[in-house]
Amino acid sequence: MMKHLSNVFSMLVFIIGFAAYGNTGFAWFLLCLPLTVWLWGVLGWCMRLPRLPRLMMLLWLSLLCFKWPAALALGISVIIVWLFKQSHSMVQERSKKRRQQRKWLLGSYDYDFRTFTDD
C-alpha cells in the first residue's frame, strides 16, 4: 500500500514540475527527483557495467555545459536518493548486528541452562 502511495506522490511531484517548468529552475528538481527514484534500479544496473559509468559521467558533464539547472537538479536528486537508500541499509545492518548479539547471548544462556539436570 505504501509503495502505491509513494508512486502517487512522485507522480504529483512530477506533474507539478511540468506545470512549473516554464517559470523556475526548481522545476528541474521536481522533474528529476521522481525519475531518479523510479529509475534507481536501472541506474544501479548501469553502474555495474565496465564502461557505462564513464559514459554517464560524460553525458552529465555535457548536460552541465548546455543545461546547467537540469544537471544540478539531476546531481542533487541522485545524491538525495543515494543517501536515503544508504541510511536505510545502514539501519538494517545495525539491527542485524543487534539480533546476532542477542541471539549469541540467549544461546549461551540456554546452553548453560540446559546443562543442569534434575536428578
Short mmCIF file of all heavy atoms in Angstrom, two decimals, residues 3-39:
data_model
loop_
_atom_site.label_atom_id
_atom_site.label_comp_id
_atom_site.label_asym_id
_atom_site.label_seq_id
_atom_site.Cartn_x
_atom_site.Cartn_y
_atom_site.Cartn_z
N LYS A 3 3.88 1.58 -1.11
CA LYS A 3 4.57 1.73 -2.40
C LYS A 3 3.68 2.46 -3.39
O LYS A 3 4.13 3.33 -4.13
CB LYS A 3 4.96 0.34 -2.92
CG LYS A 3 5.65 0.35 -4.23
CD LYS A 3 7.03 0.93 -4.13
CE LYS A 3 7.73 0.80 -5.46
NZ LYS A 3 8.87 1.64 -5.56
N HIS A 4 2.38 2.13 -3.38
CA HIS A 4 1.45 2.80 -4.29
C HIS A 4 1.29 4.27 -3.92
O HIS A 4 1.23 5.14 -4.78
CB HIS A 4 0.10 2.10 -4.28
CG HIS A 4 0.16 0.68 -4.76
ND1 HIS A 4 0.58 0.35 -6.03
CD2 HIS A 4 -0.12 -0.49 -4.13
CE1 HIS A 4 0.55 -0.96 -6.17
NE2 HIS A 4 0.13 -1.49 -5.04
N LEU A 5 1.24 4.56 -2.62
CA LEU A 5 1.13 5.95 -2.19
C LEU A 5 2.37 6.75 -2.55
O LEU A 5 2.26 7.91 -2.96
CB LEU A 5 0.89 6.01 -0.68
CG LEU A 5 -0.50 5.57 -0.21
CD1 LEU A 5 -0.56 5.60 1.30
CD2 LEU A 5 -1.57 6.45 -0.81
N SER A 6 3.54 6.14 -2.43
CA SER A 6 4.76 6.86 -2.80
C SER A 6 4.81 7.10 -4.31
O SER A 6 5.28 8.15 -4.76
CB SER A 6 6.00 6.10 -2.34
OG SER A 6 6.16 4.91 -3.07
N ASN A 7 4.30 6.15 -5.10
CA ASN A 7 4.23 6.36 -6.55
C ASN A 7 3.27 7.48 -6.92
O ASN A 7 3.55 8.30 -7.79
CB ASN A 7 3.83 5.08 -7.27
CG ASN A 7 5.01 4.17 -7.50
OD1 ASN A 7 6.15 4.61 -7.54
ND2 ASN A 7 4.73 2.89 -7.64
N VAL A 8 2.13 7.53 -6.23
CA VAL A 8 1.16 8.61 -6.48
C VAL A 8 1.77 9.96 -6.10
O VAL A 8 1.65 10.94 -6.84
CB VAL A 8 -0.15 8.34 -5.71
CG1 VAL A 8 -1.04 9.57 -5.72
CG2 VAL A 8 -0.88 7.15 -6.30
N PHE A 9 2.45 10.00 -4.96
CA PHE A 9 3.10 11.24 -4.54
C PHE A 9 4.18 11.66 -5.54
O PHE A 9 4.29 12.83 -5.89
CB PHE A 9 3.71 11.07 -3.14
CG PHE A 9 4.40 12.29 -2.65
CD1 PHE A 9 3.69 13.42 -2.29
CD2 PHE A 9 5.79 12.32 -2.56
CE1 PHE A 9 4.35 14.56 -1.84
CE2 PHE A 9 6.45 13.44 -2.12
CZ PHE A 9 5.71 14.57 -1.76
N SER A 10 4.97 10.69 -6.02
CA SER A 10 6.00 11.01 -7.01
C SER A 10 5.39 11.50 -8.32
O SER A 10 5.92 12.41 -8.95
CB SER A 10 6.87 9.77 -7.28
OG SER A 10 7.56 9.41 -6.11
N MET A 11 4.27 10.92 -8.72
CA MET A 11 3.60 11.39 -9.93
C MET A 11 3.10 12.82 -9.76
O MET A 11 3.19 13.63 -10.69
CB MET A 11 2.42 10.47 -10.27
CG MET A 11 2.83 9.16 -10.87
SD MET A 11 1.37 8.18 -11.20
CE MET A 11 2.04 6.54 -11.00
N LEU A 12 2.57 13.14 -8.57
CA LEU A 12 2.13 14.52 -8.31
C LEU A 12 3.30 15.50 -8.37
O LEU A 12 3.17 16.58 -8.94
CB LEU A 12 1.43 14.59 -6.95
CG LEU A 12 0.04 14.00 -6.88
CD1 LEU A 12 -0.46 14.01 -5.45
CD2 LEU A 12 -0.91 14.75 -7.78
N VAL A 13 4.43 15.12 -7.79
CA VAL A 13 5.61 15.97 -7.84
C VAL A 13 6.06 16.16 -9.28
O VAL A 13 6.41 17.27 -9.70
CB VAL A 13 6.74 15.39 -6.97
CG1 VAL A 13 8.06 16.10 -7.21
CG2 VAL A 13 6.37 15.45 -5.50
N PHE A 14 6.02 15.09 -10.06
CA PHE A 14 6.42 15.16 -11.47
C PHE A 14 5.50 16.09 -12.25
O PHE A 14 5.95 16.92 -13.05
CB PHE A 14 6.39 13.74 -12.05
CG PHE A 14 7.06 13.61 -13.37
CD1 PHE A 14 8.43 13.71 -13.49
CD2 PHE A 14 6.30 13.37 -14.51
CE1 PHE A 14 9.05 13.58 -14.72
CE2 PHE A 14 6.92 13.24 -15.74
CZ PHE A 14 8.29 13.34 -15.85
N ILE A 15 4.19 15.99 -12.02
CA ILE A 15 3.22 16.84 -12.72
C ILE A 15 3.39 18.30 -12.30
O ILE A 15 3.31 19.21 -13.13
CB ILE A 15 1.78 16.33 -12.47
CG1 ILE A 15 1.60 15.01 -13.22
CG2 ILE A 15 0.75 17.35 -12.90
CD1 ILE A 15 0.34 14.28 -12.87
N ILE A 16 3.64 18.55 -11.01
CA ILE A 16 3.88 19.92 -10.55
C ILE A 16 5.16 20.46 -11.20
O ILE A 16 5.23 21.63 -11.56
CB ILE A 16 3.96 19.96 -9.02
CG1 ILE A 16 2.59 19.69 -8.42
CG2 ILE A 16 4.49 21.30 -8.53
CD1 ILE A 16 2.60 19.48 -6.93
N GLY A 17 6.16 19.62 -11.39
CA GLY A 17 7.37 20.03 -12.07
C GLY A 17 7.11 20.43 -13.51
O GLY A 17 7.65 21.42 -13.99
N PHE A 18 6.24 19.66 -14.21
CA PHE A 18 5.87 20.04 -15.58
C PHE A 18 5.11 21.36 -15.59
O PHE A 18 5.29 22.19 -16.49
CB PHE A 18 5.02 18.96 -16.25
CG PHE A 18 5.83 18.00 -17.05
CD1 PHE A 18 5.60 16.64 -16.94
CD2 PHE A 18 6.80 18.43 -17.93
CE1 PHE A 18 6.33 15.74 -17.69
CE2 PHE A 18 7.54 17.55 -18.68
CZ PHE A 18 7.30 16.19 -18.56
N ALA A 19 4.25 21.56 -14.59
CA ALA A 19 3.46 22.79 -14.53
C ALA A 19 4.36 24.00 -14.28
O ALA A 19 4.11 25.08 -14.82
CB ALA A 19 2.41 22.68 -13.44
N ALA A 20 5.41 23.82 -13.50
CA ALA A 20 6.29 24.94 -13.16
C ALA A 20 7.48 25.05 -14.11
O ALA A 20 8.33 25.91 -13.92
CB ALA A 20 6.80 24.76 -11.73
N TYR A 21 7.55 24.20 -15.11
CA TYR A 21 8.73 24.13 -15.98
C TYR A 21 9.10 25.47 -16.61
O TYR A 21 10.25 25.84 -16.67
CB TYR A 21 8.51 23.07 -17.07
CG TYR A 21 9.61 23.01 -18.07
CD1 TYR A 21 10.86 22.53 -17.69
CD2 TYR A 21 9.42 23.44 -19.38
CE1 TYR A 21 11.89 22.47 -18.62
CE2 TYR A 21 10.44 23.38 -20.29
CZ TYR A 21 11.67 22.89 -19.90
OH TYR A 21 12.68 22.84 -20.81
N GLY A 22 8.13 26.22 -17.07
CA GLY A 22 8.43 27.47 -17.75
C GLY A 22 8.83 28.60 -16.81
O GLY A 22 9.44 29.58 -17.23
N ASN A 23 8.54 28.47 -15.54
CA ASN A 23 8.70 29.59 -14.62
C ASN A 23 9.98 29.56 -13.79
O ASN A 23 10.53 30.59 -13.47
CB ASN A 23 7.50 29.67 -13.67
CG ASN A 23 6.21 29.89 -14.42
OD1 ASN A 23 6.22 30.40 -15.52
ND2 ASN A 23 5.11 29.47 -13.82
N THR A 24 10.45 28.40 -13.42
CA THR A 24 11.51 28.35 -12.42
C THR A 24 12.51 27.24 -12.70
O THR A 24 12.19 26.24 -13.35
CB THR A 24 10.90 28.18 -11.02
OG1 THR A 24 11.96 28.04 -10.08
CG2 THR A 24 10.02 26.97 -10.92
N GLY A 25 13.71 27.41 -12.18
CA GLY A 25 14.73 26.36 -12.28
C GLY A 25 14.47 25.23 -11.30
O GLY A 25 14.99 24.12 -11.46
N PHE A 26 13.67 25.50 -10.27
CA PHE A 26 13.32 24.46 -9.29
C PHE A 26 12.49 23.36 -9.93
O PHE A 26 12.44 22.24 -9.44
CB PHE A 26 12.57 25.10 -8.12
CG PHE A 26 12.26 24.15 -7.01
CD1 PHE A 26 13.28 23.59 -6.25
CD2 PHE A 26 10.96 23.81 -6.72
CE1 PHE A 26 13.01 22.72 -5.22
CE2 PHE A 26 10.67 22.93 -5.69
CZ PHE A 26 11.69 22.39 -4.94
N ALA A 27 11.87 23.67 -11.06
CA ALA A 27 11.07 22.67 -11.77
C ALA A 27 11.94 21.51 -12.23
O ALA A 27 11.48 20.38 -12.29
CB ALA A 27 10.37 23.31 -12.95
N TRP A 28 13.20 21.78 -12.55
CA TRP A 28 14.10 20.69 -12.95
C TRP A 28 14.27 19.69 -11.82
O TRP A 28 14.30 18.48 -12.05
CB TRP A 28 15.45 21.24 -13.37
CG TRP A 28 15.45 21.78 -14.74
CD1 TRP A 28 15.56 23.10 -15.10
CD2 TRP A 28 15.31 21.05 -15.96
NE1 TRP A 28 15.50 23.22 -16.46
CE2 TRP A 28 15.34 21.98 -17.01
CE3 TRP A 28 15.15 19.71 -16.26
CZ2 TRP A 28 15.24 21.60 -18.34
CZ3 TRP A 28 15.04 19.33 -17.58
CH2 TRP A 28 15.09 20.26 -18.60
N PHE A 29 14.36 20.18 -10.60
CA PHE A 29 14.48 19.28 -9.45
C PHE A 29 13.20 18.47 -9.29
O PHE A 29 13.24 17.27 -9.01
CB PHE A 29 14.78 20.08 -8.18
CG PHE A 29 14.86 19.24 -6.96
CD1 PHE A 29 15.91 18.37 -6.76
CD2 PHE A 29 13.87 19.30 -6.00
CE1 PHE A 29 15.99 17.58 -5.63
CE2 PHE A 29 13.93 18.51 -4.86
CZ PHE A 29 14.99 17.65 -4.68
N LEU A 30 12.05 19.14 -9.46
CA LEU A 30 10.77 18.43 -9.35
C LEU A 30 10.59 17.40 -10.46
O LEU A 30 9.87 16.42 -10.29
CB LEU A 30 9.61 19.43 -9.37
CG LEU A 30 9.55 20.39 -8.18
CD1 LEU A 30 8.40 21.36 -8.38
CD2 LEU A 30 9.41 19.65 -6.88
N LEU A 31 11.24 17.60 -11.57
CA LEU A 31 11.18 16.61 -12.65
C LEU A 31 12.20 15.48 -12.45
O LEU A 31 11.92 14.32 -12.73
CB LEU A 31 11.44 17.29 -14.00
CG LEU A 31 10.34 18.22 -14.50
CD1 LEU A 31 10.82 18.96 -15.73
CD2 LEU A 31 9.09 17.44 -14.80
N CYS A 32 13.38 15.82 -11.96
CA CYS A 32 14.46 14.83 -11.87
C CYS A 32 14.32 13.89 -10.66
O CYS A 32 14.70 12.72 -10.75
CB CYS A 32 15.81 15.53 -11.78
SG CYS A 32 16.30 16.30 -13.32
N LEU A 33 13.79 14.39 -9.55
CA LEU A 33 13.72 13.55 -8.35
C LEU A 33 12.84 12.32 -8.54
O LEU A 33 13.28 11.19 -8.25
CB LEU A 33 13.28 14.37 -7.14
CG LEU A 33 13.30 13.64 -5.81
CD1 LEU A 33 14.72 13.21 -5.46
CD2 LEU A 33 12.73 14.50 -4.71
N PRO A 34 11.59 12.45 -9.03
CA PRO A 34 10.81 11.21 -9.24
C PRO A 34 11.41 10.28 -10.28
O PRO A 34 11.37 9.07 -10.13
CB PRO A 34 9.44 11.73 -9.71
CG PRO A 34 9.38 13.12 -9.24
CD PRO A 34 10.77 13.63 -9.25
N LEU A 35 12.00 10.86 -11.33
CA LEU A 35 12.63 10.00 -12.33
C LEU A 35 13.81 9.22 -11.74
O LEU A 35 14.01 8.05 -12.06
CB LEU A 35 13.10 10.84 -13.52
CG LEU A 35 12.01 11.39 -14.42
CD1 LEU A 35 12.61 12.32 -15.47
CD2 LEU A 35 11.25 10.26 -15.08
N THR A 36 14.55 9.86 -10.87
CA THR A 36 15.67 9.17 -10.23
C THR A 36 15.17 8.06 -9.31
O THR A 36 15.74 6.97 -9.27
CB THR A 36 16.51 10.18 -9.42
OG1 THR A 36 16.90 11.24 -10.29
CG2 THR A 36 17.74 9.53 -8.84
N VAL A 37 14.10 8.33 -8.57
CA VAL A 37 13.54 7.30 -7.69
C VAL A 37 13.02 6.12 -8.51
O VAL A 37 13.28 4.96 -8.17
CB VAL A 37 12.40 7.90 -6.82
CG1 VAL A 37 11.66 6.82 -6.06
CG2 VAL A 37 12.96 8.93 -5.85
N TRP A 38 12.31 6.40 -9.58
CA TRP A 38 11.73 5.33 -10.39
C TRP A 38 12.80 4.53 -11.13
O TRP A 38 12.66 3.33 -11.32
CB TRP A 38 10.75 5.89 -11.40
CG TRP A 38 9.49 6.41 -10.78
CD1 TRP A 38 8.88 5.96 -9.65
CD2 TRP A 38 8.69 7.49 -11.26
NE1 TRP A 38 7.76 6.69 -9.40
CE2 TRP A 38 7.61 7.63 -10.36
CE3 TRP A 38 8.77 8.34 -12.35
CZ2 TRP A 38 6.62 8.59 -10.53
CZ3 TRP A 38 7.78 9.29 -12.51
CH2 TRP A 38 6.72 9.42 -11.62
N LEU A 39 13.85 5.18 -11.57
CA LEU A 39 14.87 4.51 -12.39
C LEU A 39 16.13 4.15 -11.60
O LEU A 39 17.18 3.93 -12.20
CB LEU A 39 15.23 5.40 -13.59
CG LEU A 39 14.08 5.71 -14.54
CD1 LEU A 39 14.52 6.69 -15.60
CD2 LEU A 39 13.55 4.43 -15.16
#
